[in-house]
Amino acid sequence: MTTYQTGLFSEWLARMYLRIHGFRIVHHRYITGRNTKRAEIDIIARRKNLLVFIEVKARPTLSAALDAITPPQIARLRRAANTYIMQSHWCGDARFDVIIVRRLRVCWIRGAF
């Protein structure tokens, strides 16, 4: 399996995991404007009054996955999330989570950044 296919499978697995935990998937692979310093939010999920922006990483270890999320990437994700919140007129709570997929094991870090 290529790294692209591994990433797609990991995102699918993360979406199923979130659905099992009562979340509704609002968007997946949400991309902000094409001509800006764009960012892709892997999953946007909602449960009641909570909107969660999720970054999915497929890595062999937790530390490798967390190291793969750099400060510039966090800044891009925050800008993309702010854009989504403004466009959707969201008034509830929001947070950033990370889901790390190691083969078929899922590790969900709530409020990661």
Side-chain angles (χ1 to χ4, degrees), residues 62-79:
L62 294 175
S63 61
L66 293 175
D67 289 344
I69 303 172
T70 63
Q73 181 183 17
I74 291 171
R76 282 193 309 273
L77 291 170
R78 286 186 187 273
R79 282 194 305 270

Side-chain angles (χ1 to χ4, degrees), residues 78-96:
R78 286 186 187 273
R79 282 194 305 270
N82 284 334
T83 300
Y84 179 82
I85 287 170
M86 288 175 24
Q87 288 177 348
S88 66
H89 306 291
W90 178 254
C91 295
D93 295 327
R95 74 173 186 224
F96 287 92

Side-chain angles (χ1 to χ4, degrees), residues 43-59:
I43 302 170
I44 302 173
R46 179 180 177 188
R47 183 170 62 188
K48 297 181 183 176
N49 197 37
L50 176 64
L51 193 65
V52 182
F53 300 95
I54 299 141
E55 178 67 16
V56 179
K57 292 292 181 187
R59 298 290 190 279

Side-chain angles (χ1 to χ4, degrees), residues 12-64:
W12 175 84
L13 187 63
R15 289 194 309 270
M16 295 305 110
Y17 189 81
L18 289 165
R19 285 184 180 126
I20 289 169
H21 285 87
F23 282 87
R24 184 173 62 86
I25 306 303
V26 178
H27 284 286
H28 65 95
R29 307 190 85 195
Y30 172 80
I31 299 175
T32 59
R34 300 264 182 213
N35 296 323
T36 61
K37 292 182 180 178
R38 68 184 201 161
E40 177 184 316
I41 298 174
D42 293 330
I43 302 170
I44 302 173
R46 179 180 177 188
R47 183 170 62 188
K48 297 181 183 176
N49 197 37
L50 176 64
L51 193 65
V52 182
F53 300 95
I54 299 141
E55 178 67 16
V56 179
K57 292 292 181 187
R59 298 290 190 279
T61 65
L62 294 175
S63 61

